[in-house]
Amino acid sequence: SVQLSAFSSSAKPKPQLTIATAVPKGDRQKVMLDMLTQLGVARIVPLTCEFSVTRFNGKTHEKWRRYAVEACKQSRNPWLPEVSAPQSFSDFLNVHEGELLVADAGGASMTKSLYACSEAIVLIGPEGGFSPTEHSKLLQNKVKYIELGPYILRTEAAAVAAASQWVQYTKTLSSS
């Protein structure tokens, strides 16, 4: 028999962040999912880009969900991020909702790009970057390019840097 001694509830954090990312290589996937979950990302969307090296399949999808569950347990995060089915870069651009930010070495700071967004999506490209065709599509969608630091980051590092900056941004919103 089980006896419940205490119960608590917590509201889902607002604003929410979606990370739409190319799939990193090998073990870097687990590291990325673990850290994104610990940082409270609401949704993770695996993207297939022209320069993607690693492909996402049903087995990978199940692993990503398992990694997110493990990270929630470890970090005591009550909110499991949604791990979406993989999408092509073009399909994602056609159906996204929210402020679209793209990690790029030439962009503005993330906090200057947000100005009180209720929800944001950060796109992270593969290690080779987005292709010229993909950049053209991004410009057509009027995205905002953001810089995550002074150096070019690997896919998983860029995703974690974006989530970390988002956490700092939302802290400043809640304290003002």
Side-chain angles (χ1 to χ4, degrees):
S1 112
V2 174
Q3 183 177 7
L4 184 62
S5 59
F7 175 81
S8 67
S9 66
S10 58
K12 200 161 198 161
K14 294 270 184 192
Q16 295 194 337
L17 176 66
T18 293
I19 298 284
T21 180
V23 181
K25 296 176 187 174
D27 292 343
R28 296 183 202 156
Q29 294 175 29
K30 183 174 184 184
V31 170
M32 181 183 75
L33 265 286
D34 182 54
M35 291 184 185
L36 292 178
T37 301
Q38 289 181 54
L39 288 165
V41 169
R43 187 172 134 210
I44 304 163
V45 181
L47 292 178
T48 304
C49 302
E50 284 184 43
F51 294 161
S52 291
V53 175
T54 305
R55 298 292 174 202
F56 199 88
N57 58 40
K59 197 173 178 180
T60 309
H61 194 206
E62 202 46 51
K63 279 184 191 177
W64 279 32
R65 285 185 185 170
R66 192 172 60 248
Y67 296 155
V69 168
E70 290 169 9
C72 275
K73 289 178 183 178
Q74 180 276 322
S75 64
R76 296 186 183 160
N77 175 359
W79 300 105
L80 181 65
E82 174 191 338
V83 178
S84 298
Q87 294 183 29
S88 74
F89 176 86
S90 294
D91 287 347
F92 182 79
L93 284 183
N94 291 333
V95 298
H96 78 278
E97 291 181 25
E99 187 74 28
L100 194 57
L101 308 170
V102 179
D104 188 75
S109 81
M110 185 178 208
T111 51
K112 287 180 184 172
S113 299
L114 290 171
Y115 54 81
C117 278
S118 63
E119 191 170 326
I121 302 165
V122 176
L123 267 75
I124 308 290
E127 287 188 29
F130 291 114
S131 73
T133 304
E134 290 166 337
H135 273 293
S136 176
K137 288 178 184 177
L138 290 169
L139 292 172
Q140 290 170 7
N141 276 272
K142 297 183 174 87
V143 302
K144 294 179 182 169
Y145 284 87
I146 58 167
E147 187 173 71
L148 300 174
Y151 308 110
I152 295 184
L153 305 174
R154 284 188 168 155
T155 303
E156 73 281 1
V160 172
S164 178
Q165 288 183 26
W166 178 259
V167 168
Q168 291 305 310
Y169 165 73
T170 57
K171 279 175 72 174
T172 60
L173 281 182
S174 63
S175 65
S176 47

